Amino acid sequence: MKTCSDSRGQGASRAARRWLPLLAALSLISAGLPAWAECKLRSMEIPVRLVNHRPIATVEVNGVALPMLVDSGAFYSFLQASTAAELQLPLRELPGDLRLEGYTGRIEAKRTKVDKIKIQSAEIPNVEFIVGGNELGSGIRGILGRNLLAAGDTEYDLARGVIRLVFPLGECRDTNLAYWAGDAPVISEDLHRRDGAIRVPVRVNGRKLIAVLDTGAPGTALKMRAARRAGIDDKEMEMVGLVGGAGDGRVRSWTANVTAFELGGEKIANNRFAIDETSKGDDDMLIGLDYFLSHRIYVSRGQNKLYATWNGGPVFARAGQEGVYDQSHAAVPADVAPENANGFAARAAAAVTRGDHAAALKDLDRACELAPTDAHHFHARARVKLALRQPREALADFDEALRLQPTLAEAQMDRAGFRFATKNRAGAEADLQALDAALSPSSPLRMNMASLYAELNLAPEAFRQWELWLPTRRSDARFSHVLNQRCWLRARLNIELPKALEDCKQAIDKDGAEPSYRDSLGWTYLRLGEAANARKAFDAAIERQPIAWAHFGRAIALQRLGNPEAAQRDLEAARKLDPKIEDGVRKAGFGALLSESPI
């Protein structure tokens, strides 16, 4: 996820220079790395856990521990607007010449300053953050960007659950800084520019492109213009849908086979990459977390160079697909074996990324054995067991995670969803009530809570959670999605229909490309008895994407408008898309509409 660009071009490097003396001093009390005759390395470790394909570090901000995404693609560190509100931080406007562009559009933002942040034992006073951007889920409350990560050299050892800020001392200009490599072959490449980003030349299908290595992007993706240059034709691409990122919009995304990829001498054949229709930035592709999990990477600012070793196994593998690799670049398996519980958990997260839940379970079993008091490992194992259809075992791990850490809100939210799915309504409500009492008013999880309350048809509780979530997120990409959810609940339950209409229209104003919002609008008009307006809304939804619900709703509207032949055609189209559409319509609460207008 490429998050931002600084129109002045030097913002990140100035911030790095400001932080470097303090961080360098702190590094002297941290663990030392192997040294050569005239080159010594000192490092500060940042433990990282992987949740839902996101690397997360815990950072104390004004004494409050916050899970933060470690994002090498972000030029600066961010706090979410809800986090700033919770910490009661004063907001100021950005400098007039600073414009923020994300991967999918503009980012509305302000700035703030915190008294201090603390990472491990290192305290840094008077730190500025940008405030804004989309929320990222997984409990993330902010982003650690390159004003920290590029303050010195950076080592990304995510397969072992750690990032190191490294400070070379002495004469290191000609030193191979992949100090761990031993006899393993080292991938090396010059950085494309000296701006803090990990930007390198690569080859895709033989064509030279420029890529940014971005820990904030769960997977690797080509931009459409780069895919064209690499000879990928439209007929080779499979549509995925709309995807979001940093920024206020969404872009269309496809996947396609890529015959050959090369970085620093490492060659990988026959993989499948995402292809996104975005023109933001002058880079050609993002190399995401999938690459970081399969490599150990050292970024040298002094040498302007990247070093890496391959851990072996899939690099860009999507679920069910593996590429063909030049095995000469593989490390010795013993060299990359996990050393502790966090290492096993990190390797499990990599296995989940490529869809190998059985391998993930083995590693998480070991992580839970080695660290039986770490609630996060049990929570991760519960999710894997759900994917493996082991519901009883998953529930036992959810229970254990919450016994170990009752404040682990994400685990309680997951357990609430599990209980609802297994018909334990009372248990789901109990979890939701506990979350409501424990969470801050602006917690990101309140959106998830509202969705589950809506599934339970508990409208007042759902509305309350949405009212708490919405005020600090008007620039969030999911704002329109939440408005649509609220509209749909009111339409389903046949309550407060004028408010439902307002929500649906506002959602469409913010994101006119999403067909489901127009579908919700159509059903709201049906509730209001406005068949002509309902038909127009369904027409607009179907024009963007054939949806069974929109065809079925239009059939009702056409029947009311005295056109039974056209209504029958839409009914047949709806049944073709979803043979059980009538049952779904009745279960959602629209049975009365079918009784009023039989089709």
Side-chain angles (χ1 to χ4, degrees):
M1 178 187 63
K2 183 182 179 185
T3 52
C4 305
S5 62
D6 182 350
S7 64
R8 298 169 297 181
Q10 301 300 318
S13 61
R14 282 203 297 267
R17 287 195 296 271
R18 181 174 65 85
W19 287 32
L20 183 56
L22 177 58
L23 290 174
L26 290 168
S27 73
L28 296 177
I29 64 171
S30 64
L33 301 178
W36 299 268
E38 297 181 355
C39 177
K40 297 181 180 180
L41 304 179
R42 293 291 182 268
S43 70
M44 181 173 70
E45 291 195 350
I46 304 175
V48 174
R49 57 189 176 88
L50 294 155
V51 181
N52 293 339
H53 316 311
R54 304 282 193 186
I56 298 173
T58 299
V59 179
E60 283 192 19
V61 178
N62 286 355
V64 178
L66 300 177
M68 299 187 75
L69 173 69
V70 180
D71 189 350
S72 65
F75 90 102
Y76 214 77
S77 297
F78 278 66
L79 292 176
Q80 293 167 358
S82 58
T83 304
E86 181 181 326
L87 297 177
Q88 299 182 337
L89 298 173
L91 302 183
R92 296 175 292 153
E93 296 296 326
L94 295 175
D97 59 346
L98 182 62
R99 298 186 303 275
L100 303 185
E101 289 283 339
Y103 193 63
T104 57
R106 187 182 176 197
I107 300 173
E108 296 289 341
K110 295 184 182 298
R111 59 176 167 159
T112 192
K113 180 181 285 188
V114 304
D115 294 335
K116 67 178 179 180
I117 69 169
K118 184 177 180 181
I119 305 174
Q120 296 296 91
S121 60
E123 286 192 2
I124 305 169
N126 301 320
V127 180
E128 283 201 338
F129 285 87
I130 292 174
V131 177
N134 297 324
E135 291 191 338
L136 302 168
S138 304
I140 294 168
R141 306 306 305 273
I143 291 173
L144 285 183
R146 292 199 303 270
N147 59 324
L148 172 61
L149 299 175
D153 290 356
T154 318
E155 181 189 341
Y156 296 90
D157 191 8
L158 294 182
R160 291 178 176 80
V162 66
I163 290 172
R164 297 179 180 91
L165 301 184
V166 185
F167 303 90
L169 303 174
E171 183 51 62
C172 300
R173 284 179 297 179
D174 299 321
T175 301
N176 180 343
L177 293 172
Y179 61 87
W180 63 88
D183 295 330
V186 175
I187 302 155
S188 64
E189 187 58 82
D190 291 338
L191 299 182
H192 184 62
R193 287 204 299 261
R194 288 181 179 271
D195 62 355
I198 314 173
R199 184 179 286 107
V200 294
V202 299
R203 288 191 178 273
V204 175
N205 293 348
R207 291 299 300 270
K208 184 177 178 180
L209 303 175
I210 301 299
V212 172
L213 275 72
D214 185 351
T215 58
T220 294
L222 283 164
K223 294 180 180 178
M224 178 61 75
R225 62 172 185 258
R228 302 279 192 226
R229 288 170 54 198
I232 299 173
D233 192 74
D234 285 354
K235 63 179 180 292
E236 303 173 59
M237 298 191 298
E238 181 180 345
M239 186 69 177
V240 173
L242 296 172
V243 298
D248 59 3
R250 292 186 297 163
V251 298
R252 292 190 295 173
S253 183
W254 296 259
T255 61
N257 290 325
V258 172
T259 304
F261 172 88
E262 182 175 353
L263 192 169
E266 180 187 35
K267 297 179 181 180
I268 306 168
N270 301 329
N271 267 272
R272 195 164 184 86
F273 286 177
I275 299 172
D276 296 337
E277 194 174 47
T278 179
S279 58
K280 302 299 182 183
D282 56 1
D283 308 307
D284 298 311
M285 69 180 297
L286 297 180
I287 295 177
L289 185 64
D290 45 3
Y291 188 88
F292 281 88
L293 286 172
S294 57
H295 293 80
R296 186 167 177 175
I297 299 168
Y298 187 104
V299 182
S300 169
R301 312 295 173 189
Q303 295 182 5
N304 203 44
K305 199 175 189 71
L306 175 145
Y307 295 94
T309 56
W310 176 35
N311 295 337
V315 175
F316 300 118
R318 305 172 78 86
Q321 283 214 354
E322 293 191 10
V324 179
Y325 308 96
D326 176 2
Q327 295 295 326
S328 67
H329 274 89
V332 178
D335 292 340
V336 294
E339 300 167 351
N340 51 37
N342 286 339
F344 279 102
R347 192 168 73 175
V352 169
T353 298
R354 62 178 184 268
D356 190 351
H357 291 93
L361 181 58
K362 290 180 181 179
D363 279 339
L364 286 168
D365 284 344
R366 188 69 178 128
C368 291
E369 290 173 8
L370 291 172
T373 60
D374 191 323
H376 293 287
H377 299 327
F378 288 92
H379 181 204
R381 193 170 68 174
R383 287 175 164 175
V384 168
K385 286 177 177 176
L386 281 182
L388 291 170
R389 298 184 179 181
Q390 299 176 9
R392 291 183 181 178
E393 295 85 350
L395 179 58
D397 274 345
F398 282 132
D399 291 345
E400 180 63 9
L402 288 166
R403 185 190 70 80
L404 291 169
Q405 187 176 335
T407 58
L408 190 57
E410 289 78 17
Q412 190 144 41
M413 187 69 243
D414 284 346
R415 190 175 70 176
F418 172 84
R419 284 173 160 176
F420 171 74
T422 54
K423 312 300 183 185
N424 182 357
R425 182 185 178 102
E429 289 187 44
D431 276 333
L432 289 172
Q433 289 165 4
L435 283 167
D436 187 42
L439 294 176
S440 64
S442 61
S443 169
L445 282 177
R446 293 198 180 273
M447 184 187 77
N448 307 73
M449 293 172 62
S451 298
L452 188 50
Y453 272 128
E455 292 285 346
L456 291 163
N457 288 333
L458 297 173
E461 291 83 354
F463 293 149
R464 178 175 175 273
Q465 300 305 322
W466 280 321
E467 287 300 323
L468 289 168
W469 186 90
L470 284 164
T472 57
R473 296 168 172 93
R474 297 192 178 275
S475 298
D476 193 284
R478 294 175 299 173
F479 189 81
S480 53
H481 169 72
V482 166
L483 292 176
N484 178 66
Q485 281 191 311
R486 195 165 63 176
C487 167
W488 183 241
L489 179 60
R490 284 170 168 146
R492 283 201 305 107
L493 300 183
N494 199 20
I495 60 174
E496 301 178 345
L497 295 177
K499 290 183 178 180
L501 202 63
E502 182 181 341
D503 276 345
C504 269
K505 287 180 176 180
Q506 190 176 350
I508 292 168
D509 286 343
K510 290 184 68 67
D511 186 358
E514 175 53 54
S516 65
Y517 301 169
R518 297 176 188 272
D519 175 59
S520 299
L521 179 65
W523 286 92
T524 304
Y525 274 129
L526 285 179
R527 284 290 201 196
L528 289 165
E530 300 182 25
N533 282 331
R535 177 185 176 175
K536 290 178 184 178
F538 291 130
D539 286 346
I542 293 166
E543 181 182 337
R544 287 159 175 80
Q545 180 185 334
I547 301 173
W549 277 78
H551 277 291
F552 198 93
R554 190 166 70 178
I556 296 174
L558 289 167
Q559 185 73 17
R560 290 183 176 184
L561 293 169
N563 193 343
E565 295 82 5
Q568 188 61 32
R569 288 194 295 271
D570 263 321
L571 181 60
E572 291 171 2
R575 288 170 174 165
K576 186 176 181 180
L577 290 166
D578 180 0
K580 297 182 178 180
I581 183 65
E582 281 100 336
D583 290 341
V585 169
R586 292 184 188 280
K587 288 179 181 177
F590 294 104
L593 294 180
L594 296 181
S595 300
E596 295 165 6
S597 305
I599 52 175

